[in-house]
Amino acid sequence: MMAPSKTKLDVADVDSRHRLTSAQTTTMMVKMSVVVFAVLLTLACVVLSEATGALRRTRSVTDVSASYSLNVSTCPGYTLSALNESQTGLTAQLKLAGAACDAFGTDIEDLTLQVTYDTNQRLRVNIFDTAKSQFTIPSSIISVPPEPTESFTQTSDLVFNYDSSPFAFWITRRSEPDALPLFDTRLSSLPPTPIPPLNASDSSTALDGFPLVFEDQYLQLTSALPYDANIYGFGEVIASSGFRRDVGVNGSPGTIQTMWARDVADPVDENIYGSHSIYLEHRHNETTQKAQSHGVYHFSAAGSDTLLTTPPSSPVSLVQYRAVGGTLDFYFFSGPKPQDVIEQYGQLIGLPTWQPLFGLGFHLCRWGYTNVSETKEQVTRMREANIPLEVMWNDIDLYHAVRDFTTDPVSFPAEEVQEFIQELAANHQHYIPIVDAAIAKQVNSTDIYDPYTRGVELDVWVKNPDGSEYVGEVWPGYTVFPDWFSDNIEDYWTEALSNWSQGGVEFSGIWLDMNEVSSFCNGSCGTGADLSTPIPVSLPGDPGNLVTDYPEGYNASMWGPSGNITINGTLTYGVNERPSEAAVTKRGVGAGEQSGVNLNFPPYAIHNGFGPLYVHTLDTNATHVGGYVELDVHNMFGLMEEKTTHLAIQKILGIRPFLISRSTFPSSGKWTGHWLGDNYSKWAYMHYNIQGVLQFQLFQIPMVGADTCGFQDNTDEELCNRWMQMSAFMPFYRNHNQLSALPQEPYRWDSVASASRTAISIRYSLLPYWYTLFANASMHGSPVVRALFYEFPDEPELFAVDRQYLVGRDILVTPVLTPNVSTVDGIFPGRGQVIWRDWYTHEIVNATSGGNTTLDAPLGHIPVHIRDGSAILLYAAPAYTIEETRQGPYSLLVSVSPDGTAFGTAYVDDGLSVPPTPNTTLTFVVGNGTLSIESNGDFSVNQTLRDITILGAAQTKPEFVTISGQANATWVYKSDNQELIVSGLDLDLNRDSDNVIAWTL
């Protein structure tokens, strides 16, 4: 969620999730104003922290300057020795090559190099301190594959090359030994230094030198890239440049991607909720007109900056890693196709969790359903409007005193909540509540809150260095934080969730929020404080904090607060206005050097949007079981909560856990899905929705989506209409908005209701296709949603396209992303060699080869097209819920390619059991005027195949259509689209021999 105020508060700006409702005014004493906190505690937090024994590791700017050079130009690099080759790779020693430079820490003299050819497609280059004193990610958190038992040194397409003095390495392809290296740290491959600051306002963007630097508080490694390289990944971020990252050519600023999880309301070009140091590079050979992809992953949890830049007059671009701890542990993936890279990354860090089928339905939520009756009303009104609703959610309105694992006894009595959830279940619908990461600390001895006292008994709270509880502040007031390293944490978390469910909140899944982790004060501010006197709160909708913003072009002072497209027959959108992405401020990159900002620890100031690393989160010296400090493990808080929650839910419910979480890290996809955070009701954010979903496919978290219609500010009818349709073609589909904003449930406007019904009907008909895509993600790591160039890698005009996308390989979506238009431009991949057919009319698109084609897109219509060569299993009769839909028959849609072939598969199981579970794969093959259906598996497919539509079946009307040789089919042929429709089949999909359909000319 967002902060209760939009006031910008310098380094302690705490844009964050707001919560609470008017029905909970009796609990206002336990609520706090994030805005007031930012002002008061920025000045006081260090003093308070020190006064209570939670001493922060600090060093003044003057002290840092005196201790360290803050310049790497004199760093000597390393020299390689003691090389030892093995069947799986090599090891060697790296020795500091000269006098220590101590640029941002103390140089580590002795390093170890370990190179492992893991597979023919994956190579590991690990540079670590020989003494192993630097933090590395424990295998209990992310378990990477063990060293191989067979040799790939002579067969891998990736080859490790090195120079001994100064040590440098570069990675090449065995298949293209003379091509530009994929990764190259040699000084001779990089531009000469020093290079003045690339941003004049930020001295840290100077490139003083490119030696290998390995210090206790600063690591640096630089690689050359092709000039203006096609780089994708590095996140989480809302990048102003789009899905393709800015590498700093043609006057553009380049990229500084900071890896430090942060609770902030969706800023542009800043670090936000998750940290993923993986990138995919796509290289196009101008001579051969062919392209290949490879991937690079830095396996580290350290706070860091990654720079993508092109120095003036440089013939190459570059990527530079600057980390404040950890090691230089890199994995390289050979591809060569974009999808191969993504799958290879998944094989390393873990494949996505299996999703329950109900998770693919439409979800509804808002912060501001003040009681159980208002929540129930939404379910009723959605059904009255005939807009399918699969899952109902509640935000922290549900809680008593804003405390986890509770229900408010007045507004959400436990017995009424239970009755409501059971009514949902009886109608094949589901319920998901929120869980925030912080747990309220008891106010006094008469305060009864079992989740806190039980945690004390099991000793599961994060500590100060002196062993006392680390006490921050979040929505319920002073709070403690689960220590996911604790031996008892899984038992504690499972017990808390189980008690909640047994007490009436019979959830089907869980929403994990505020897990960056977020704290509204700096330091252990509640240690020794008067816990009964929290600071007052100012929430959205309160006087002085009204939610007044609308999308661009809508003037509420002129047209009123309805958000309607027309009022009294007049368009409300300003005809001469266009939406501007500049409406969302892009920060300067000099936060670390601003006057009064002291990052103190560590000495290198990564470009954290809040400045100091302890702002709005745990202090960097907060201590975890095992002696881990927050500085080293901060980025993994969300991941560890997700894993613990997943295991708990699976134990409690016995089904596939459905989780949606905010903060993520590599391998989070094994446990959870993700929503894109506290976005805005702006047209720009509808566009950002696409790049966010594409990012998380690369990150192996395919169940992802944005808050449809926007979370913050007010939406309007047109934006919500377009967004509800686009999100129907996104993996996670939820409408959610903030307290006091204009209600945006899809039934609120007739046009939005109509558009939603149409889009959800298509989505539900496509559920077998969606489900198969998610099964392939869980089994192979295949991306569910794809950038166009993934499927058409040799077409450079697609490399920067992120206003369109593919669902799987066969469905092309071209959403309208601007207001007040009735057409949209889109490119059709394939350069005229691929036939694209309209989803609605089945007509062939007369597309411009390699360029944009203008499509009709009146309000309520989203252009969707089918790729040739596809065979897509559908539900023939989309119903109100997924369970009702899947009880009906199937249909099959085939789009034949020019050579007369098509192919498709469908994965079928019960949609709920934890794999391994009985399953069946259906395979559809078309060729030579014949469609054959093969069934392979042990799951009984109860529903039959009712009808088949074959597009491009024949240029002339067939004389006969037979089923297993019998001319007993009911069929029609439409010559306009060469469309053959075979109906009334009632085919048993568990049998192969009878399922052959042929048409004879």
Side-chain angles (χ1 to χ4, degrees):
M1 287 187 180
M2 60 166 240
S5 171
K6 296 173 62 182
T7 306
K8 185 67 175 175
L9 294 171
D10 198 19
V11 300
D13 180 351
V14 285
D15 266 356
S16 160
R17 296 196 61 199
H18 50 326
R19 313 291 200 195
L20 313 185
T21 70
S22 58
Q24 295 170 317
T25 54
T26 58
T27 66
M28 290 296 283
M29 64 176 293
V30 296
K31 306 168 186 175
M32 72 298 302
S33 169
V34 178
V35 177
V36 176
F37 268 28
V39 175
L40 297 179
L41 292 175
T42 298
L43 299 175
C45 63
V46 174
V47 175
L48 178 60
S49 177
E50 292 177 349
T52 57
L55 297 177
R56 190 187 319 286
R57 298 166 295 178
T58 62
R59 185 181 289 112
S60 71
V61 174
T62 302
D63 290 340
V64 170
S65 300
S67 302
Y68 303 117
S69 69
L70 309 183
N71 187 300
V72 300
S73 61
T74 62
C75 294
Y78 288 80
T79 300
L80 181 145
S81 63
L83 179 67
N84 180 31
E85 296 189 19
S86 69
Q87 69 166 358
T88 60
L90 61 86
T91 60
Q93 299 304 304
L94 300 178
K95 189 82 171 180
L96 200 64
C101 65
D102 294 341
F104 295 97
T106 301
D107 284 81
I108 297 178
E109 185 171 347
D110 295 306
L111 307 178
T112 298
L113 166 70
Q114 185 172 33
V115 178
T116 308
Y117 288 85
D118 278 355
T119 71
N120 282 328
Q121 296 80 35
R122 186 176 74 237
L123 172 67
R124 184 181 190 180
V125 178
N126 189 9
I127 301 171
F128 56 93
D129 57 306
T130 303
K132 296 186 177 180
S133 60
Q134 294 285 98
F135 176 81
T136 57
I137 298 173
S139 60
S140 60
I141 301 175
I142 301 179
S143 180
V144 297
E147 288 195 22
T149 56
E150 58 180 304
S151 178
F152 300 102
T153 57
Q154 301 303 312
T155 56
S156 171
D157 193 38
L158 297 172
V159 179
F160 175 82
N161 310 272
Y162 68 93
D163 284 336
S164 296
S165 184
F167 169 71
F169 71 93
W170 63 103
I171 309 298
T172 56
R173 287 191 188 275
R174 190 180 305 274
S175 57
E176 294 182 323
D178 298 325
L180 193 69
L182 306 184
F183 197 84
D184 190 351
T185 69
R186 291 173 292 182
L187 298 180
S188 60
S189 300
L190 296 162
T193 57
I195 298 169
L198 302 174
N199 184 307
S201 67
D202 183 3
S203 61
S204 74
T205 62
L207 301 171
D208 299 316
F210 298 131
L212 168 62
V213 181
F214 202 117
E215 299 173 342
D216 60 343
Q217 299 174 100
Y218 183 74
L219 286 70
Q220 178 179 300
L221 186 71
T222 312
S223 171
L225 296 171
Y227 183 82
D228 199 16
N230 299 304
I231 300 291
Y232 310 86
F234 285 137
E236 179 180 8
V237 69
I238 299 169
S240 57
S241 62
F243 181 48
R244 182 181 182 271
R245 303 307 299 273
D246 182 359
V247 297
V249 301
N250 300 321
S252 62
T255 293
I256 300 177
Q257 181 64 52
T258 299
M259 303 295 175
W260 190 256
R262 183 166 73 114
D263 171 10
V264 62
D266 281 16
V268 178
D269 293 326
E270 295 186 21
N271 58 307
I272 48 177
Y273 317 107
S275 298
H276 298 269
S277 190
I278 167 76
Y279 76 83
L280 180 152
E281 184 192 337
H282 191 63
R283 293 190 183 180
H284 185 257
N285 188 313
E286 294 294 336
T287 301
T288 64
Q289 293 297 299
K290 297 294 183 181
Q292 295 186 106
S293 289
H294 66 274
V296 180
Y297 168 47
H298 182 204
F299 183 46
S300 172
S304 66
D305 284 339
T306 305
L307 278 63
L308 294 171
T309 188
T310 307
S313 303
S314 172
V316 297
S317 300
L318 59 87
V319 55
Q320 183 174 85
Y321 296 86
R322 301 174 174 181
V324 297
T327 63
L328 296 171
D329 191 357
F330 286 88
Y331 285 91
F332 300 90
F333 310 100
S334 67
K337 296 178 182 178
Q339 181 167 320
D340 295 335
V341 173
I342 296 171
E343 291 175 350
Q344 290 157 10
Y345 177 58
Q347 293 293 337
L348 173 71
I349 54 102
L351 298 174
T353 183
W354 285 83
Q355 294 294 335
L357 185 57
F358 75 79
L360 296 174
F362 175 67
H363 304 243
L364 181 62
C365 184
R366 83 162 295 173
W367 178 35
Y369 294 145
T370 58
N371 53 56
V372 68
S373 297
E374 188 175 356
T375 307
K376 292 175 68 173
E377 181 187 358
Q378 310 313 310
V379 178
T380 300
R381 296 194 64 178
M382 289 289 287
R383 189 173 285 274
E384 289 173 348
N386 196 31
I387 304 171
L389 172 62
E390 188 71 13
V391 188
M392 193 67 207
W393 298 47
N394 271 125
D395 210 312
I396 60 170
D397 312 277
L398 173 69
Y399 292 161
H400 174 55
V402 212
R403 292 178 168 187
D404 277 1
F405 311 123
T406 65
T407 57
D408 188 278
V410 175
S411 55
F412 285 89
E415 63 278 7
E416 293 186 26
V417 171
Q418 184 176 42
E419 180 183 2
F420 166 56
I421 295 173
Q422 290 175 353
E423 288 175 3
L424 287 173
N427 291 319
H428 309 298
Q429 294 170 296
H430 304 265
Y431 179 79
I432 292 178
I434 194 169
V435 171
D436 281 344
I439 303 297
K441 185 174 173 64
Q442 280 189 336
V443 173
N444 52 48
S445 60
T446 63
D447 183 18
I448 299 174
Y449 182 48
D450 289 341
Y452 170 74
T453 54
R454 184 61 173 146
V456 172
E457 293 173 0
L458 294 175
D459 191 22
V460 298
W461 306 130
V462 174
K463 302 293 197 329
N464 289 305
D466 65 2
S468 61
E469 285 179 356
Y470 184 100
V471 183
E473 288 201 63
V474 192
W475 305 116
Y478 291 110
T479 62
V480 292
F481 301 87
D483 182 0
W484 307 109
F485 289 93
S486 168
D487 294 337
N488 297 321
I489 192 63
E490 188 175 331
D491 289 342
Y492 165 78
W493 204 243
T494 302
E495 181 181 312
L497 286 164
S498 179
N499 289 342
W500 203 27
S501 179
Q502 292 175 18
V505 185
E506 297 176 355
F507 48 76
S508 295
I510 292 292
W511 173 18
L512 298 175
D513 194 18
M514 310 290 284
N515 55 353
E516 291 70 30
V517 60
S518 180
S519 177
F520 298 160
C521 67
N522 303 330
S524 189
C525 57
T527 303
D530 181 355
L531 303 181
S532 65
T533 57
I535 297 173
V537 67
S538 173
L539 299 170
D542 289 349
N545 194 13
L546 301 179
V547 179
T548 59
D549 286 353
Y550 280 79
E552 303 85 351
Y554 186 91
N555 187 334
S557 63
M558 179 182 298
W559 300 111
S562 71
N564 292 348
I565 293 175
T566 61
I567 292 181
N568 297 327
T570 302
L571 283 172
T572 55
Y573 181 81
V575 176
N576 295 322
E577 298 182 42
R578 305 302 296 172
S580 171
E581 297 193 6
V584 182
T585 303
K586 177 180 176 181
R587 74 171 178 97
V589 294
E593 301 297 331
Q594 289 173 2
S595 175
V597 175
N598 178 7
L599 291 191
N600 297 321
F601 185 91
Y604 175 76
I606 67 174
H607 289 74
N608 181 32
F610 287 151
L613 298 182
Y614 54 78
V615 170
H616 203 49
T617 187
L618 302 187
D619 204 351
T620 52
N621 70 346
T623 305
H624 303 258
V625 169
Y628 299 124
V629 294
E630 182 67 13
L631 178 69
D632 289 324
V633 302
H634 171 80
N635 284 333
M636 300 188 299
F637 190 100
L639 163 65
M640 298 180 73
E641 183 191 35
E642 290 146 11
K643 178 180 179 181
T644 306
T645 308
H646 181 106
L647 296 174
I649 297 303
Q650 186 168 311
K651 185 175 181 179
I652 294 167
L653 300 182
I655 61 173
R656 300 175 197 178
F658 182 80
L659 301 181
I660 294 295
S661 178
R662 194 168 70 178
S663 184
T664 59
F665 191 74
S667 85
S668 281
K670 289 178 62 175
W671 315 108
T672 187
H674 172 66
W675 98 102
L676 296 172
D678 297 345
N679 65 350
Y680 291 81
S681 295
K682 305 286 186 188
W683 288 92
Y685 276 82
M686 187 177 172
H687 178 200
Y688 295 149
N689 187 164
I690 301 174
Q691 72 161 265
V693 169
L694 291 174
Q695 277 182 40
F696 277 85
Q697 306 305 303
L698 172 55
F699 299 157
Q700 285 292 336
I701 308 175
M703 176 54 82
V704 58
D707 279 345
T708 301
C709 303
F711 173 74
Q712 300 201 76
D713 301 333
N714 294 299
T715 194
D716 68 13
E717 179 181 0
E718 184 180 13
L719 176 63
C720 200
N721 185 307
R722 296 295 194 186
W723 211 329
M724 279 295 296
Q725 290 216 296
M726 185 182 79
S727 288
F729 297 91
M730 290 293 185
F732 177 53
Y733 187 13
R734 182 182 73 168
N735 183 315
H736 175 229
N737 72 325
Q738 75 176 120
L739 180 68
S740 190
L742 183 75
Q744 61 186 41
E745 294 84 6
Y747 63 77
R748 298 283 178 175
W749 295 278
D750 288 343
S751 77
V752 179
S754 176
S756 300
R757 283 189 290 268
T758 299
I760 295 173
S761 178
I762 297 172
R763 181 183 181 88
Y764 283 19
S765 71
L766 278 166
L767 282 173
Y769 180 73
W770 277 108
Y771 193 68
T772 301
L773 291 172
F774 272 100
N776 286 332
S778 298
M779 292 187 290
H780 309 294
S782 309
V784 171
V785 173
R786 303 174 188 180
L788 272 56
F789 79 89
Y790 289 6
E791 292 293 324
F792 300 89
D794 301 327
E795 301 178 19
E797 62 270 22
L798 304 179
F799 295 170
V801 172
D802 63 4
R803 301 180 74 88
Q804 296 172 271
Y805 58 95
L806 290 158
V807 178
R809 70 174 297 278
D810 297 326
I811 301 294
L812 174 64
V813 182
T814 308
V816 175
L817 302 174
T818 55
N820 221 27
V821 298
S822 58
T823 62
V824 63
D825 288 342
I827 192 168
F828 286 85
R831 294 180 172 177
Q833 301 304 303
V834 173
I835 296 174
W836 294 94
R837 294 181 168 93
D838 186 281
W839 170 269
Y840 307 91
T841 67
H842 296 166
E843 294 177 352
I844 294 174
V845 178
N846 182 18
T848 302
S849 178
N852 278 331
T853 299
T854 299
L855 304 169
D856 288 333
L859 189 67
H861 176 78
I862 181 170
V864 179
H865 292 86
I866 312 157
R867 182 178 178 178
D868 69 17
S870 61
I872 303 173
L873 188 67
L874 307 171
Y875 285 128
Y880 193 79
T881 66
I882 288 177
E883 180 60 27
E884 294 169 282
T885 297
R886 72 193 302 246
Q887 293 307 316
Y890 289 108
S891 64
L892 183 67
L893 177 63
V894 177
S895 181
V896 178
S897 63
D899 65 1
T901 63
F903 177 84
T905 63
Y907 179 94
V908 187
D909 65 14
D910 68 5
L912 206 58
S913 299
V914 178
T917 187
N919 64 87
T920 291
T921 297
L922 304 171
T923 304
F924 310 98
V925 180
V926 174
N928 300 316
T930 299
L931 163 66
S932 62
I933 303 173
E934 177 184 338
S935 177
N936 185 14
D938 56 359
F939 179 77
S940 178
V941 183
N942 294 327
Q943 292 69 41
T944 60
L945 181 63
R946 187 180 70 183
D947 52 68
I948 299 170
T949 299
I950 302 172
L951 308 178
Q955 295 183 0
T956 59
K957 182 178 180 179
E959 292 187 14
F960 302 100
V961 175
T962 62
I963 302 173
S964 298
Q966 303 298 313
N968 58 352
T970 300
W971 58 278
V972 295
Y973 176 79
K974 298 180 180 179
S975 59
D976 289 349
N977 298 324
Q978 302 175 9
E979 182 175 355
L980 175 63
I981 303 172
V982 187
S983 58
L985 292 174
D986 199 28
L987 290 181
D988 183 351
L989 290 174
N990 298 293
R991 304 171 62 185
D992 293 340
S993 58
D994 294 339
N995 294 340
V996 177
I997 294 88
W999 52 100
T1000 305
L1001 300 179

